[in-house]
Structure formats: structure tokens, C-alpha cells
Amino acid sequence: MRQWLTVLVLSSLMVVSASPVVSAQIGQPDIIQEHWYHSYATLTLDLNEWSDDYPEIVEMFSIGQTELGREIWMLQISDWEGGACLSSEFEGCEHFKEIGEGELERKEVVYIDGGHHGNEHLGTELAFLVAEYYIEGWANGDQAVIDLLAKTELHILIMLNADGNDFDTRWNVNQVDLNRNYDHYWNTCDSTQPGSSAFSESETLANSIYMNEVVPDADLYITMHTGVWIMLYPWGKWPEQPSDWEMYHYIRDEVNSNISDIPIRNANQGLYPNCGTSRDYGYGIMGYPTFTFETDDEQFLLGTVEALSDRLGEEMDVMHYLIENVWYWRARLVVDSLEVEDGKVRLSVSNLGHSSTSNATLLYFEDEDSMEFWLPGSNEPVEVTGSMDIHERKSDFNFSTPGYGFAVNATNSTVTTLDFTGAPISSEGVWALYYQKRVIDSSMWTRELVHEGVAEVRVDDSGLLPAPTMLLVLIAFALAIIDRRNTRFEQ
């Protein structure tokens, strides 16, 4: 009886949903929102309400317009009260968390989008429910959510294809499949309607600009769809496993063992060959760890008999796991010991993350004011000029050469010896790790200082020299933050 009543209510609201003007006037009460998919107008109302009610954690703005001129709304959700804010051309900001007195560290960044295909409403609603969970959790004083938003940024684009959403069609208004329109092997598979060229559509172009300019170093990217119940990771073009297969297999095993039996597979094998997708663009070009999250397609017209929060409850559990463990979806190198004697550095490093790195090395700065650094095996320093991309500054550096660089597998350790006999090592020196976060060539690089007290330096017979002071650590860390946006490159 209750289901028939719900169907009757939904049917009576169909005329209301078809009219954006009426929808914008009345919104969607909670009881309706649990059963009725968003139109562009009702979504705009809900997002504005969140932005007005919770300015401490919600920033809302448009990143562009659809082909019909509708705004593409972005939500940034985090605790914006602490840390520094670096402005961008968008209204939002990049933020850092305080990890000590005067010391800042970049927050983990999660990027989520929904609604590439306008008629895949459950995927759009899953993106909405993720935003709702963390906003309302913060508002209700959920300590776990409060703690997460203190260290994590959520960037959520709920409805990319607003035109297709309101027309209830897969395509955008130009009859283009937006999820075949990205510049990663565009139009090299048997695809339908990929557009006239990569990023020919305003929706995908706006999304790519946001990726490159605001979240170029995202720690996780999930794109929401509806179809076969499955989670897909790269590649769509090839059946081979991606470079970071260890990370993807770890996530698959953890989810399937503890949370859900949803299939988690390579996209080419798990679904069908597909090219020009946002998932493979995110991984192959941006270097993000990426998933396509496909909810099943048992949809009821423009709504659902079962409440959405129940309907997508298992999917939400998986999303919580991915977001709350985002710290691990990269290589996380920690120096266990650093011993220097006669210019040779014996380095012991552990990888706390679930992704391997095949490119890692050590940098040496003579003091806190130094504008140059030394590489292993070098007799000359490299000048710091706004970018510390080793391949730009020193073309002959090779990570695979013994004594130059090293690799560390996921959740593993390594011991290596690096040759710094050409560097003027002294008690004023500062050491820093420089490594790639994941194995994929396009992945971000990071510089992290060796913590105070780890380094032991012997010069002649004078004994141990002291490790760098905290002042040196803070100054060098500030330098890393200033030019962090310039460290990404592709080999």
C-alpha cells in the first residue's frame, strides 16, 4: 500500500517537475526529494540553500555553462576556517591544514562529478547524496565528518549535463556523448557521437579546465554513472591492467571483503572498450586514481519507489570508504633513517601508501636561504627557478641509475645508498625527498622534507652533526607550497 501511495504522489508531481519555473518556486520537500530525481532548477535551489546555510564549509560557484547556457555548479566542501587560502580564477580557494605551530600541509583533495549522461539519474543522485552526507553530518555535529573536513577538500560537480538531465536524454543538446569527448585517445574506439573534436562541448571543456587549474593534484577522482552495477578503473581502451594495479587491486579486495560485493574491474574487460572518457583522462593525463561508479539502471521514470538514501545505501558505504581512506591512494614515503658518511648517504625509506613509486630521489640544500639544490651523483648544483622539475633542470638525471634514484613498492620499505660526494654537506644543510606519487607517468610529484632528528651526518672524525632545525623545515616547506603548482609533468 505504501509503495502505491508513493507512486501516486510521484505521478501527481510529474507536471510540477516538468516546469522549471514552478520547480524553482516550490523546491523539493524532503519526502519528495527521497523519491524524485533533481531537475536543474531544484538542484540549483538545494545548492544555494547549502551555500547560504553553511558558509563555513560550503563554497558554491559556476565553472562554466552548458551549451544551452545553464550554469555548471561546483561545490567545494571543507572546513575553511583554518589554514591558508591561495586564490584561483574561480571563486573557490585552495586550502591547507595546520599540522603544527606555523606549519601547513595541503589537504587531501577528492573530486567527484555526476551527470555526464542526462538520463543516468541515479548516478547524479549518488553525487548529490555524497555532498548531503558531509554537509549535514558537519551541521549535526558528527565528529567523524568534522575531523574529515578539517583535513580533506571535497569538490563535487553534481550535474554536468544539465540540458540532457532535463530532457532525460543521454546526450547533450548537440547530441554528443560527453563521456566520449575527453582528450584521451579521443575517437579511437568504436564510439557513438564523440563530438567533432576532443573538448568540442562546453560542458567537458569546463570540466577539464577545472581539473587542470583547480584540482591538478587530486588524490581521488570518481565519476558517477548509471547502467550496470559495477566500479570501473582504467583502462577503457586496453584490457591490460593500469600501472597502479596494486592500488586498484587493494581497493577491490578491501571493498569486496568488507563492504560490498560490487564488481570492481578494468573498464575494457568489465564493460566494453571505450575511449575519450573522463575516467581515463583523469588517470592518463592528470594522474589521478580514478573510478567510474556505475549504479544499476532500475530507475522509475523520473523517480524511484524506494527512498534514494536506502536505494543507494550500499554505494554510499563504498564512497565513505574511498573518501575516508584517501590519504593512502598514493605513495607516502617516510624516511626511517638517513646516515651520511664521506658524502655517501645511506637512506632507509618506508612507503605507507597503497601505491608504488618508481621515481624517487633525495635533494640537498646547503642552507635555508639556498636558491639551488644538489642531486645524487652531481658535482654541480641545480638552480631553483620557480620549478623544481628535475627533468627540466637536469636532463641527464636518471632515476634508474644506481646511486641516483630508487623505487619503493606499496606498503613496503627499501634501503639505498646515494652518492653526494660532490655536494658541500654541512650542519646547515636541509634534506628533502622528491618522488612521484604513483607509477603512472602523468602522476604528480611531491617534495617532502626529511624530519628533524632523522639525519645523522659524519664529517671526517668530528662526529655527528645536528639535524636541520625546525626553522629550516618550516622555511623549506613554505617554499614547496609556493611553487607546488609547477611540479607536475609527464615523462
Side-chain angles (χ1 to χ4, degrees), residues 381-408:
V382 178
E383 185 180 358
V384 177
T385 57
S387 172
M388 289 177 60
D389 181 337
I390 287 177
H391 288 265
E392 290 179 3
R393 311 311 311 156
K394 187 174 177 61
S395 60
D396 62 346
F397 189 85
N398 188 340
F399 287 91
S400 64
T401 303
Y404 278 56
F406 56 94
V408 194

PDB file of all heavy atoms in Angstrom, residues 381-408:
ATOM      1  N   PRO A 381      75.462  22.202  -8.538  1.00  0.00           N
ATOM      2  CA  PRO A 381      74.095  22.359  -8.041  1.00  0.00           C
ATOM      3  C   PRO A 381      73.129  22.723  -9.157  1.00  0.00           C
ATOM      4  O   PRO A 381      73.528  23.143 -10.245  1.00  0.00           O
ATOM      5  CB  PRO A 381      74.218  23.507  -7.039  1.00  0.00           C
ATOM      6  CG  PRO A 381      75.345  24.330  -7.579  1.00  0.00           C
ATOM      7  CD  PRO A 381      76.321  23.356  -8.193  1.00  0.00           C
ATOM      8  N   VAL A 382      71.844  22.536  -8.893  1.00  0.00           N
ATOM      9  CA  VAL A 382      70.771  22.915  -9.809  1.00  0.00           C
ATOM     10  C   VAL A 382      70.071  24.138  -9.235  1.00  0.00           C
ATOM     11  O   VAL A 382      69.705  24.158  -8.056  1.00  0.00           O
ATOM     12  CB  VAL A 382      69.765  21.768 -10.000  1.00  0.00           C
ATOM     13  CG1 VAL A 382      68.633  22.199 -10.915  1.00  0.00           C
ATOM     14  CG2 VAL A 382      70.469  20.539 -10.552  1.00  0.00           C
ATOM     15  N   GLU A 383      69.888  25.154 -10.038  1.00  0.00           N
ATOM     16  CA  GLU A 383      69.274  26.398  -9.555  1.00  0.00           C
ATOM     17  C   GLU A 383      67.768  26.241  -9.421  1.00  0.00           C
ATOM     18  O   GLU A 383      67.106  25.618 -10.255  1.00  0.00           O
ATOM     19  CB  GLU A 383      69.590  27.542 -10.517  1.00  0.00           C
ATOM     20  CG  GLU A 383      69.094  28.896 -10.037  1.00  0.00           C
ATOM     21  CD  GLU A 383      69.430  30.008 -11.008  1.00  0.00           C
ATOM     22  OE1 GLU A 383      70.080  29.718 -12.044  1.00  0.00           O
ATOM     23  OE2 GLU A 383      69.030  31.160 -10.740  1.00  0.00           O
ATOM     24  N   VAL A 384      67.219  26.813  -8.346  1.00  0.00           N
ATOM     25  CA  VAL A 384      65.772  26.844  -8.155  1.00  0.00           C
ATOM     26  C   VAL A 384      65.224  28.046  -8.907  1.00  0.00           C
ATOM     27  O   VAL A 384      65.567  29.180  -8.607  1.00  0.00           O
ATOM     28  CB  VAL A 384      65.410  26.946  -6.658  1.00  0.00           C
ATOM     29  CG1 VAL A 384      63.899  27.061  -6.481  1.00  0.00           C
ATOM     30  CG2 VAL A 384      65.955  25.746  -5.896  1.00  0.00           C
ATOM     31  N   THR A 385      64.364  27.795  -9.909  1.00  0.00           N
ATOM     32  CA  THR A 385      63.828  28.893 -10.725  1.00  0.00           C
ATOM     33  C   THR A 385      62.327  28.759 -10.885  1.00  0.00           C
ATOM     34  O   THR A 385      61.811  28.637 -11.983  1.00  0.00           O
ATOM     35  CB  THR A 385      64.477  28.918 -12.112  1.00  0.00           C
ATOM     36  OG1 THR A 385      64.248  27.635 -12.736  1.00  0.00           O
ATOM     37  CG2 THR A 385      65.959  29.180 -12.035  1.00  0.00           C
ATOM     38  N   GLY A 386      61.589  28.723  -9.782  1.00  0.00           N
ATOM     39  CA  GLY A 386      60.132  28.656  -9.845  1.00  0.00           C
ATOM     40  C   GLY A 386      59.607  27.265 -10.063  1.00  0.00           C
ATOM     41  O   GLY A 386      58.473  26.970  -9.743  1.00  0.00           O
ATOM     42  N   SER A 387      60.405  26.385 -10.644  1.00  0.00           N
ATOM     43  CA  SER A 387      60.025  24.985 -10.812  1.00  0.00           C
ATOM     44  C   SER A 387      61.209  24.128 -10.422  1.00  0.00           C
ATOM     45  O   SER A 387      62.349  24.453 -10.699  1.00  0.00           O
ATOM     46  CB  SER A 387      59.629  24.688 -12.258  1.00  0.00           C
ATOM     47  OG  SER A 387      59.452  23.298 -12.438  1.00  0.00           O
ATOM     48  N   MET A 388      60.923  23.034  -9.710  1.00  0.00           N
ATOM     49  CA  MET A 388      61.994  22.126  -9.330  1.00  0.00           C
ATOM     50  C   MET A 388      61.835  20.796 -10.051  1.00  0.00           C
ATOM     51  O   MET A 388      62.155  19.739  -9.532  1.00  0.00           O
ATOM     52  CB  MET A 388      62.009  21.935  -7.820  1.00  0.00           C
ATOM     53  CG  MET A 388      62.493  23.162  -7.076  1.00  0.00           C
ATOM     54  SD  MET A 388      62.434  22.977  -5.304  1.00  0.00           S
ATOM     55  CE  MET A 388      63.519  21.578  -5.065  1.00  0.00           C
ATOM     56  N   ASP A 389      61.344  20.871 -11.270  1.00  0.00           N
ATOM     57  CA  ASP A 389      61.216  19.690 -12.105  1.00  0.00           C
ATOM     58  C   ASP A 389      62.616  19.244 -12.505  1.00  0.00           C
ATOM     59  O   ASP A 389      63.310  19.902 -13.266  1.00  0.00           O
ATOM     60  CB  ASP A 389      60.385  20.053 -13.342  1.00  0.00           C
ATOM     61  CG  ASP A 389      60.179  18.873 -14.268  1.00  0.00           C
ATOM     62  OD1 ASP A 389      60.984  17.932 -14.223  1.00  0.00           O
ATOM     63  OD2 ASP A 389      59.197  18.914 -15.025  1.00  0.00           O
ATOM     64  N   ILE A 390      63.041  18.095 -11.976  1.00  0.00           N
ATOM     65  CA  ILE A 390      64.394  17.622 -12.212  1.00  0.00           C
ATOM     66  C   ILE A 390      64.659  17.427 -13.696  1.00  0.00           C
ATOM     67  O   ILE A 390      65.744  17.728 -14.203  1.00  0.00           O
ATOM     68  CB  ILE A 390      64.646  16.321 -11.436  1.00  0.00           C
ATOM     69  CG1 ILE A 390      64.771  16.646  -9.947  1.00  0.00           C
ATOM     70  CG2 ILE A 390      65.908  15.618 -11.907  1.00  0.00           C
ATOM     71  CD1 ILE A 390      64.939  15.440  -9.073  1.00  0.00           C
ATOM     72  N   HIS A 391      63.667  16.945 -14.430  1.00  0.00           N
ATOM     73  CA  HIS A 391      63.889  16.666 -15.848  1.00  0.00           C
ATOM     74  C   HIS A 391      64.024  17.957 -16.656  1.00  0.00           C
ATOM     75  O   HIS A 391      64.596  17.948 -17.734  1.00  0.00           O
ATOM     76  CB  HIS A 391      62.763  15.795 -16.404  1.00  0.00           C
ATOM     77  CG  HIS A 391      62.841  14.385 -15.904  1.00  0.00           C
ATOM     78  ND1 HIS A 391      63.458  13.391 -16.603  1.00  0.00           N
ATOM     79  CD2 HIS A 391      62.407  13.817 -14.748  1.00  0.00           C
ATOM     80  CE1 HIS A 391      63.391  12.256 -15.925  1.00  0.00           C
ATOM     81  NE2 HIS A 391      62.758  12.493 -14.803  1.00  0.00           N
ATOM     82  N   GLU A 392      63.511  19.064 -16.142  1.00  0.00           N
ATOM     83  CA  GLU A 392      63.716  20.352 -16.801  1.00  0.00           C
ATOM     84  C   GLU A 392      65.058  20.952 -16.401  1.00  0.00           C
ATOM     85  O   GLU A 392      65.738  21.578 -17.193  1.00  0.00           O
ATOM     86  CB  GLU A 392      62.594  21.329 -16.441  1.00  0.00           C
ATOM     87  CG  GLU A 392      61.247  20.982 -17.042  1.00  0.00           C
ATOM     88  CD  GLU A 392      60.187  21.980 -16.627  1.00  0.00           C
ATOM     89  OE1 GLU A 392      60.532  22.951 -15.923  1.00  0.00           O
ATOM     90  OE2 GLU A 392      59.014  21.790 -16.998  1.00  0.00           O
ATOM     91  N   ARG A 393      65.444  20.748 -15.126  1.00  0.00           N
ATOM     92  CA  ARG A 393      66.646  21.395 -14.616  1.00  0.00           C
ATOM     93  C   ARG A 393      67.916  20.620 -14.938  1.00  0.00           C
ATOM     94  O   ARG A 393      68.985  21.170 -15.017  1.00  0.00           O
ATOM     95  CB  ARG A 393      66.545  21.559 -13.087  1.00  0.00           C
ATOM     96  CG  ARG A 393      65.240  22.159 -12.587  1.00  0.00           C
ATOM     97  CD  ARG A 393      64.821  23.403 -13.308  1.00  0.00           C
ATOM     98  NE  ARG A 393      65.892  24.377 -13.414  1.00  0.00           N
ATOM     99  CZ  ARG A 393      65.928  25.305 -14.345  1.00  0.00           C
ATOM    100  NH1 ARG A 393      64.991  25.383 -15.253  1.00  0.00           N
ATOM    101  NH2 ARG A 393      66.927  26.159 -14.381  1.00  0.00           N
ATOM    102  N   LYS A 394      67.804  19.302 -15.064  1.00  0.00           N
ATOM    103  CA  LYS A 394      68.997  18.490 -15.297  1.00  0.00           C
ATOM    104  C   LYS A 394      68.614  17.307 -16.177  1.00  0.00           C
ATOM    105  O   LYS A 394      68.137  16.286 -15.692  1.00  0.00           O
ATOM    106  CB  LYS A 394      69.589  18.021 -13.968  1.00  0.00           C
ATOM    107  CG  LYS A 394      70.928  17.299 -14.111  1.00  0.00           C
ATOM    108  CD  LYS A 394      71.506  16.993 -12.744  1.00  0.00           C
ATOM    109  CE  LYS A 394      72.816  16.205 -12.854  1.00  0.00           C
ATOM    110  NZ  LYS A 394      73.856  16.921 -13.581  1.00  0.00           N
ATOM    111  N   SER A 395      68.808  17.440 -17.477  1.00  0.00           N
ATOM    112  CA  SER A 395      68.270  16.472 -18.433  1.00  0.00           C
ATOM    113  C   SER A 395      68.933  15.105 -18.331  1.00  0.00           C
ATOM    114  O   SER A 395      68.373  14.109 -18.776  1.00  0.00           O
ATOM    115  CB  SER A 395      68.430  17.013 -19.858  1.00  0.00           C
ATOM    116  OG  SER A 395      69.802  17.236 -20.151  1.00  0.00           O
ATOM    117  N   ASP A 396      70.146  15.023 -17.750  1.00  0.00           N
ATOM    118  CA  ASP A 396      70.835  13.739 -17.725  1.00  0.00           C
ATOM    119  C   ASP A 396      70.564  12.953 -16.447  1.00  0.00           C
ATOM    120  O   ASP A 396      71.148  11.892 -16.244  1.00  0.00           O
ATOM    121  CB  ASP A 396      72.347  13.940 -17.885  1.00  0.00           C
ATOM    122  CG  ASP A 396      72.968  14.762 -16.768  1.00  0.00           C
ATOM    123  OD1 ASP A 396      72.194  15.405 -16.023  1.00  0.00           O
ATOM    124  OD2 ASP A 396      74.204  14.765 -16.654  1.00  0.00           O
ATOM    125  N   PHE A 397      69.665  13.432 -15.590  1.00  0.00           N
ATOM    126  CA  PHE A 397      69.378  12.697 -14.361  1.00  0.00           C
ATOM    127  C   PHE A 397      68.540  11.463 -14.687  1.00  0.00           C
ATOM    128  O   PHE A 397      67.556  11.545 -15.409  1.00  0.00           O
ATOM    129  CB  PHE A 397      68.635  13.572 -13.359  1.00  0.00           C
ATOM    130  CG  PHE A 397      68.499  12.926 -12.006  1.00  0.00           C
ATOM    131  CD1 PHE A 397      69.520  13.032 -11.079  1.00  0.00           C
ATOM    132  CD2 PHE A 397      67.384  12.182 -11.672  1.00  0.00           C
ATOM    133  CE1 PHE A 397      69.420  12.421  -9.836  1.00  0.00           C
ATOM    134  CE2 PHE A 397      67.267  11.575 -10.444  1.00  0.00           C
ATOM    135  CZ  PHE A 397      68.300  11.697  -9.519  1.00  0.00           C
ATOM    136  N   ASN A 398      68.957  10.314 -14.141  1.00  0.00           N
ATOM    137  CA  ASN A 398      68.276   9.061 -14.427  1.00  0.00           C
ATOM    138  C   ASN A 398      67.994   8.337 -13.117  1.00  0.00           C
ATOM    139  O   ASN A 398      68.910   7.930 -12.404  1.00  0.00           O
ATOM    140  CB  ASN A 398      69.150   8.185 -15.332  1.00  0.00           C
ATOM    141  CG  ASN A 398      68.418   6.959 -15.830  1.00  0.00           C
ATOM    142  OD1 ASN A 398      67.417   6.528 -15.260  1.00  0.00           O
ATOM    143  ND2 ASN A 398      68.917   6.390 -16.918  1.00  0.00           N
ATOM    144  N   PHE A 399      66.699   8.178 -12.810  1.00  0.00           N
ATOM    145  CA  PHE A 399      66.317   7.550 -11.555  1.00  0.00           C
ATOM    146  C   PHE A 399      66.731   6.081 -11.480  1.00  0.00           C
ATOM    147  O   PHE A 399      66.830   5.522 -10.399  1.00  0.00           O
ATOM    148  CB  PHE A 399      64.800   7.656 -11.353  1.00  0.00           C
ATOM    149  CG  PHE A 399      64.333   9.029 -11.003  1.00  0.00           C
ATOM    150  CD1 PHE A 399      63.954   9.919 -11.989  1.00  0.00           C
ATOM    151  CD2 PHE A 399      64.272   9.442  -9.683  1.00  0.00           C
ATOM    152  CE1 PHE A 399      63.516  11.191 -11.669  1.00  0.00           C
ATOM    153  CE2 PHE A 399      63.841  10.710  -9.347  1.00  0.00           C
ATOM    154  CZ  PHE A 399      63.469  11.592 -10.344  1.00  0.00           C
ATOM    155  N   SER A 400      66.928   5.462 -12.611  1.00  0.00           N
ATOM    156  CA  SER A 400      67.251   4.040 -12.609  1.00  0.00           C
ATOM    157  C   SER A 400      68.736   3.769 -12.431  1.00  0.00           C
ATOM    158  O   SER A 400      69.145   2.624 -12.255  1.00  0.00           O
ATOM    159  CB  SER A 400      66.773   3.391 -13.913  1.00  0.00           C
ATOM    160  OG  SER A 400      67.465   3.942 -15.026  1.00  0.00           O
ATOM    161  N   THR A 401      69.566   4.811 -12.472  1.00  0.00           N
ATOM    162  CA  THR A 401      70.996   4.628 -12.289  1.00  0.00           C
ATOM    163  C   THR A 401      71.320   4.429 -10.817  1.00  0.00           C
ATOM    164  O   THR A 401      70.885   5.223  -9.979  1.00  0.00           O
ATOM    165  CB  THR A 401      71.771   5.855 -12.827  1.00  0.00           C
ATOM    166  OG1 THR A 401      71.442   6.047 -14.200  1.00  0.00           O
ATOM    167  CG2 THR A 401      73.267   5.669 -12.657  1.00  0.00           C
ATOM    168  N   PRO A 402      72.071   3.392 -10.476  1.00  0.00           N
ATOM    169  CA  PRO A 402      72.432   3.178  -9.062  1.00  0.00           C
ATOM    170  C   PRO A 402      73.117   4.409  -8.476  1.00  0.00           C
ATOM    171  O   PRO A 402      74.001   5.001  -9.100  1.00  0.00           O
ATOM    172  CB  PRO A 402      73.397   1.985  -9.133  1.00  0.00           C
ATOM    173  CG  PRO A 402      73.010   1.259 -10.382  1.00  0.00           C
ATOM    174  CD  PRO A 402      72.587   2.321 -11.354  1.00  0.00           C
ATOM    175  N   GLY A 403      72.662   4.797  -7.300  1.00  0.00           N
ATOM    176  CA  GLY A 403      73.212   5.969  -6.648  1.00  0.00           C
ATOM    177  C   GLY A 403      72.497   7.257  -6.971  1.00  0.00           C
ATOM    178  O   GLY A 403      72.794   8.303  -6.384  1.00  0.00           O
ATOM    179  N   TYR A 404      71.561   7.225  -7.944  1.00  0.00           N
ATOM    180  CA  TYR A 404      70.817   8.420  -8.320  1.00  0.00           C
ATOM    181  C   TYR A 404      69.407   8.409  -7.704  1.00  0.00           C
ATOM    182  O   TYR A 404      68.988   9.369  -7.070  1.00  0.00           O
ATOM    183  CB  TYR A 404      70.692   8.521  -9.840  1.00  0.00           C
ATOM    184  CG  TYR A 404      71.874   9.103 -10.547  1.00  0.00           C
ATOM    185  CD1 TYR A 404      73.140   8.553 -10.404  1.00  0.00           C
ATOM    186  CD2 TYR A 404      71.730  10.208 -11.382  1.00  0.00           C
ATOM    187  CE1 TYR A 404      74.232   9.083 -11.072  1.00  0.00           C
ATOM    188  CE2 TYR A 404      72.814  10.744 -12.054  1.00  0.00           C
ATOM    189  CZ  TYR A 404      74.069  10.178 -11.897  1.00  0.00           C
ATOM    190  OH  TYR A 404      75.137  10.709 -12.560  1.00  0.00           O
ATOM    191  N   GLY A 405      68.653   7.356  -8.002  1.00  0.00           N
ATOM    192  CA  GLY A 405      67.271   7.288  -7.535  1.00  0.00           C
ATOM    193  C   GLY A 405      66.939   5.896  -7.046  1.00  0.00           C
ATOM    194  O   GLY A 405      67.788   5.002  -7.005  1.00  0.00           O
ATOM    195  N   PHE A 406      65.652   5.718  -6.674  1.00  0.00           N
ATOM    196  CA  PHE A 406      65.229   4.416  -6.153  1.00  0.00           C
ATOM    197  C   PHE A 406      63.721   4.285  -6.293  1.00  0.00           C
ATOM    198  O   PHE A 406      63.011   5.262  -6.579  1.00  0.00           O
ATOM    199  CB  PHE A 406      65.647   4.257  -4.684  1.00  0.00           C
ATOM    200  CG  PHE A 406      65.144   5.346  -3.773  1.00  0.00           C
ATOM    201  CD1 PHE A 406      63.952   5.189  -3.071  1.00  0.00           C
ATOM    202  CD2 PHE A 406      65.861   6.527  -3.613  1.00  0.00           C
ATOM    203  CE1 PHE A 406      63.486   6.191  -2.230  1.00  0.00           C
ATOM    204  CE2 PHE A 406      65.396   7.543  -2.776  1.00  0.00           C
ATOM    205  CZ  PHE A 406      64.204   7.364  -2.084  1.00  0.00           C
ATOM    206  N   ALA A 407      63.219   3.079  -6.099  1.00  0.00           N
ATOM    207  CA  ALA A 407      61.792   2.788  -6.131  1.00  0.00           C
ATOM    208  C   ALA A 407      61.380   2.191  -4.799  1.00  0.00           C
ATOM    209  O   ALA A 407      62.202   1.587  -4.103  1.00  0.00           O
ATOM    210  CB  ALA A 407      61.472   1.818  -7.263  1.00  0.00           C
ATOM    211  N   VAL A 408      60.100   2.378  -4.448  1.00  0.00           N
ATOM    212  CA  VAL A 408      59.565   1.767  -3.236  1.00  0.00           C
ATOM    213  C   VAL A 408      58.173   1.232  -3.553  1.00  0.00           C
ATOM    214  O   VAL A 408      57.296   1.992  -3.968  1.00  0.00           O
ATOM    215  CB  VAL A 408      59.467   2.755  -2.054  1.00  0.00           C
ATOM    216  CG1 VAL A 408      59.233   1.995  -0.754  1.00  0.00           C
ATOM    217  CG2 VAL A 408      60.688   3.643  -1.957  1.00  0.00           C
TER     218      VAL A 408
END
